Amino acid sequence: MTAATSLDLRRLNHTEQVEHLRKQMATVGGKVGSGRRGAAPSADLLPESESLLPLPESLAGLLPTSLPRGTVAVATGARSLSLSMVAAVTAAGGHAAIVGQPDVGLLAAVEMGADLSRLAVIPDPGADPVEVAAVLMDGMDLVVLGLGGRSVTAGRARAVVARARQKGCTLLVTDGEWQGASARLEARVCGYEVSGAGRSGRPVPGCGRISRVRLAMRACGRSVGALRAVGE
């Protein structure tokens, strides 16, 4: 991928959608290091740099550890949480995809450090976004999946979790319910910092731009333990 790839699948039927994505992932797969594709043998522990996704700098004070590769997590609240994960993964040389979020802010991702040449965006994945996300796991380190309010059954969730583990790809689910997720992350905006103020250098109401968002973060689950923290 040489730029943020936006794939519109609405004009294709279900079979054509899956085939199209498989061809795309076959192209990407050759560019992704083999060391991070697939599950590691149980007797050989991967180093932390290989077993965990890169942790965004903005979340370093909020999470004790990043998400493990090959797991499924649910994220709720501020979208800057998932965008920061995408930015960290692509900035570190990994590949990421955003599925089912037609209004995603790519400018915000760039400002967080994202490398758009390593990002695929599928704003409208059609009737089955879960299958689209599962196909994308073949060539990605991180897939952010917007469910559009859907709830994924336990049986379907287990199948995708197994695929994520096999491919070494982390799935971050938003805007929906996913049973059996190994981590649940909640972020809400608790404040802003504004730059570009008046001549005095101080913020002026109605002027400037938001330079940083402060988040209140809560995380729990097998992958991250349990905590509640507040930071930027």
Side-chain angles (χ1 to χ4, degrees):
M1 291 178 290
T2 58
T5 303
S6 181
L7 303 177
D8 188 347
L9 305 179
R10 288 174 294 180
R11 298 180 181 179
L12 306 178
N13 63 38
H14 181 73
T15 301
E16 291 172 336
Q17 290 174 1
V18 173
E19 182 61 25
H20 180 69
L21 285 171
R22 291 193 189 282
K23 290 179 179 178
Q24 290 283 335
M25 291 307 98
T27 301
V28 176
K31 302 177 183 180
V32 181
S34 59
R36 290 192 302 199
R37 296 265 69 86
S42 58
D44 299 325
L45 295 178
L46 290 174
E48 184 173 288
S49 61
E50 292 290 329
S51 62
L52 298 176
L53 288 178
L55 182 64
E57 182 179 349
S58 61
L59 300 182
L62 301 180
L63 293 175
T65 184
S66 188
L67 294 175
R69 297 181 186 275
T71 58
V72 177
V74 174
T76 58
R79 186 169 291 184
S80 55
L81 168 61
S82 58
L83 283 180
S84 67
M85 298 291 292
V86 167
V89 167
T90 58
H95 289 77
I98 301 175
V99 180
Q101 293 187 357
D103 57 344
V104 64
L106 292 182
L107 176 59
V110 170
E111 292 178 340
M112 294 177 186
D115 180 351
L116 295 188
S117 70
R118 295 178 174 274
L119 176 62
V121 180
I122 298 87
D124 187 346
D128 194 350
V130 176
E131 181 165 0
V132 170
V135 173
L136 287 168
M137 288 178 182
D138 279 345
M140 299 293 166
D141 297 278
L142 171 68
V143 175
V144 178
L145 170 60
L147 287 176
R150 296 175 177 87
S151 179
V152 178
T153 64
R156 185 84 185 277
R158 283 194 296 270
V160 177
V161 168
R163 183 173 178 83
R165 186 180 302 113
Q166 178 191 18
K167 299 298 182 179
C169 176
T170 299
L171 179 65
L172 186 61
V173 178
T174 68
D175 191 25
E177 181 57 36
W178 187 284
Q179 298 186 41
S182 62
R184 293 183 179 273
L185 312 176
E186 178 186 353
R188 61 178 179 84
V189 176
C190 61
Y192 300 92
E193 291 185 10
V194 179
S195 62
R199 296 177 182 178
S200 65
R202 296 181 179 180
V204 176
C207 300
R209 60 187 297 273
I210 296 174
S211 60
R212 179 172 294 184
V213 176
R214 289 194 294 271
L215 296 178
M217 183 81 183
R218 180 182 300 171
C220 63
R222 300 186 302 275
S223 298
V224 296
L227 71 128
R228 182 173 182 175
V230 177
E232 298 178 358

